[in-house]
Amino acid sequence: MTGTAQGRFQRAHGEQILRNLPLPGHVILRTDTGWRRGWLIARQNGPTGWVGLVQYDDGHGEITDYLPADRIASPDVWVAD
């Protein structure tokens, strides 16, 4: 599989996972500082693809932000840095 095809597959897979997660629900988020536990509050399909509105604590306070589908995972998955 080419890098471009793999990127499309990963994006489609992330979007499918995001559409199937319950709202509101616990999730694992990949932030700029690593993986964190958080809440998925809402999701929408925007001009650049699916995004989720999430809340998490970054160690300095609570953050509410939109993240792309490929940075949101089910709480049942194991992730490593």
Side-chain angles (χ1 to χ4, degrees), residues 18 23 27-33 36-44 50-58 61-69 71-72:
L18 182 59
L23 294 175
V27 290
I28 304 294
L29 310 166
R30 186 169 46 87
T31 69
D32 294 337
T33 59
R36 301 210 178 266
R37 295 185 182 276
W39 282 92
L40 176 64
I41 302 167
R43 59 183 161 246
Q44 67 183 33
W50 282 87
V51 295
L53 179 61
V54 297
Q55 282 185 332
Y56 63 96
D57 188 325
D58 71 348
E62 189 174 276
I63 304 292
T64 302
D65 197 7
Y66 283 96
L67 291 180
R71 294 178 60 181
I72 302 171

Side-chain angles (χ1 to χ4, degrees), residues 6-19:
Q6 184 174 356
R8 279 195 304 261
F9 173 79
Q10 288 174 332
R11 186 169 41 256
H13 181 71
E15 292 169 358
Q16 180 65 30
I17 289 171
L18 182 59
R19 286 192 301 256

